[in-house]
């Protein structure tokens, strides 16, 4: 007998496990870093061209909105890095069962947030 499956999924009612959320955030952070790459390269060019462009860049980065954007990019980098290490450990079969997967998901979220707070406090 064939199972009756819904034709239209209500995505807001589906509860993802924590590892699924970490996976989606890993993809989102990678996309965010890819899209921010031209802006980061431009900032690198301004910082290395001359002392005048460096002081202009520092004046722009002194405002709170660019600092918040940098904090977001910092979180994206740190989350992508930590989740990438998690996926590497999974691929190397260091994390095999469900309990290890769940605990590593919590560890990735906690580590990326703590590192963002640590480096963000130094940035601010």
């Amino acid at each position: 007998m064939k199972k009756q499956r819904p034709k239209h999924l209500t995505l807001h009612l589906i509860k993802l496990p924590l590892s699924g959320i970490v996976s989606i955030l890993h993809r989102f952070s990678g996309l965010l870093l890819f899209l921010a790459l031209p802006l980061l390269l431009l900032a690198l060019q301004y910082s290395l061209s001359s002392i005048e462009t460096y002081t202009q860049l520092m004046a722009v980065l002194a405002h709170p909105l660019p600092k918040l954007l940098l904090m977001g990019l910092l979180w994206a980098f740190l989350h992508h890095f930590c989740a990438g290490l998690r996926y590497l450990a999974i691929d190397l079969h260091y994390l095999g069962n469900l309990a290890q997967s769940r605990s590593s998901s919590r560890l990735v979220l906690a580590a990326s947030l703590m590192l963002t707070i640590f480096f963000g406090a130094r940035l601010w």
Side-chain angles (χ1 to χ4, degrees):
M1 178 151 246
K2 194 172 185 180
K3 276 183 152 181
Q4 291 293 331
R5 295 188 177 249
K7 291 182 181 180
H8 304 288
L9 293 176
T10 52
L11 294 177
H12 66 282
L13 296 179
I14 296 175
K15 186 172 182 338
L16 277 176
L18 189 59
S19 57
I21 293 170
V22 168
S23 175
I24 290 172
L25 287 175
H26 180 72
R27 293 169 190 227
F28 176 74
S29 63
L31 177 69
L32 186 65
L33 289 171
F34 177 74
L35 293 176
L37 195 58
L39 184 64
L40 293 173
L41 288 174
L42 183 66
L44 179 66
Q45 179 184 354
Y46 276 134
S47 70
L48 297 176
S49 294
S50 67
I51 192 70
E52 291 83 17
T53 57
Y54 176 77
T55 54
Q56 287 174 353
L57 180 65
M58 288 297 109
V60 167
L61 294 178
H63 296 294
L65 185 61
K67 282 185 181 182
L68 283 176
L69 290 174
L70 281 178
M71 287 277 289
L73 287 175
L74 181 65
W75 169 82
F77 172 74
L78 292 170
H79 179 79
H80 198 75
F81 180 75
C82 292
L85 290 178
R86 176 182 178 261
Y87 291 128
L88 181 64
I90 289 172
D91 288 343
L92 294 175
H93 301 289
Y94 290 135
L95 302 174
N97 60 16
L98 187 60
Q100 290 174 336
S101 175
R102 287 181 177 161
S103 64
S104 66
S105 299
R106 281 188 225 104
L107 182 67
V108 163
L109 287 177
S112 65
L113 288 176
M114 290 298 181
L115 287 171
T116 302
I117 290 170
F118 175 74
F119 288 119
R122 296 185 58 112
L123 174 72
W124 204 269

